[in-house]
Amino acid sequence: MTPIKVLGFAGSLRQASYNRALIRAAQKLAPSGMSFEIVDLDDIPLYNGDVEAQGDPPGVTAFKQAIAAADGILIATPEYNHGVPGVMKNAIDWASRPPRGAPLGGKPVGLIGASPGMTGSARGQSQLRQAFEFTNSYCMPQPEILVYRAHEKFDDAGQLTDETTAKYLAAYLVAFHAWVLRFK
């Protein structure tokens, strides 16, 4: 397997979120040939063009550098009120700047998500796909990982305990490896 570097992050600031747990599970299940770094969105302020005009804040600079250094991006998104959480959209907005030369331009992206509800973040993932059309990022269309009833699939320590979900996530990561190689 040709080696690739994947950057993963979750669209939740809550330490015990199911999506942070899902991205950690993905890191553990990454196939050989895939290195996997996780970053947090905690240090990314709300996007403000006036702030950007003065220079990216340190958290934004670090985030953009991590994206630029990766071969592919794996995002675990929650779904809030049938959509993408503000923290996730905000991070994508920062990483889409400047419009020409943004680190997201031409990057292969994988979307996964977990939710206590029955849709498993389907609407949130759909909204992210729309945002990535603008950034000229390449979202992997299939397979999908929509972890529904997440509270039944992770233990209190945030470990993925559902064997079926782990099996699908591992297969997803193999497919994502192949997807990233298409653009490398």
Side-chain angles (χ1 to χ4, degrees):
M1 226 184 257
T2 304
I4 62 166
K5 182 178 178 182
V6 171
L7 179 71
F9 58 92
S12 175
L13 298 178
R14 194 171 64 83
Q15 288 299 313
S17 84
Y18 295 121
N19 285 282
R20 282 185 180 233
L22 185 61
I23 206 74
R24 287 190 308 268
Q27 184 181 43
K28 288 179 184 175
L29 293 170
S32 68
M34 179 185 285
S35 66
F36 201 109
E37 176 188 359
I38 296 175
V39 296
D40 293 326
L41 303 181
D42 299 347
D43 295 329
I44 299 176
L46 291 174
Y47 176 78
N48 179 327
D50 294 337
V51 172
E52 180 187 31
Q54 301 299 312
D56 288 345
V60 172
T61 298
F63 183 57
K64 287 181 175 183
Q65 288 172 344
I67 291 171
D71 296 312
I73 310 299
L74 184 65
I75 299 170
T77 186
E79 181 176 299
Y80 298 167
N81 300 319
H82 290 194
V84 170
V87 69
M88 172 64 73
K89 180 64 168 72
N90 181 63
I92 300 306
D93 289 345
W94 274 110
S96 71
R97 308 288 303 160
R100 295 193 195 318
L104 283 174
K107 285 287 177 185
V109 175
L111 300 175
I112 60 178
S115 170
M118 293 303 292
T119 61
S121 78
R123 293 178 187 108
Q125 288 188 39
S126 178
Q127 285 182 355
L128 278 179
R129 287 180 193 284
Q130 292 172 359
F132 285 125
E133 287 177 16
F134 177 79
T135 64
N136 198 31
S137 304
Y138 306 112
C139 283
M140 185 170 80
Q142 293 291 325
E144 292 181 309
I145 295 288
L146 305 165
V147 181
Y148 66 97
R149 299 179 65 134
H151 57 285
E152 297 175 356
K153 299 184 175 150
F154 294 90
D155 65 18
D156 291 339
Q159 300 298 311
L160 179 61
T161 56
D162 184 73
E163 290 181 28
T164 301
T165 301
K167 181 181 103 179
Y168 283 118
L169 182 56
Y172 178 94
L173 292 166
V174 169
F176 186 60
H177 184 276
W179 179 254
V180 171
L181 287 178
R182 297 174 83 180
F183 302 96
K184 191 169 178 186

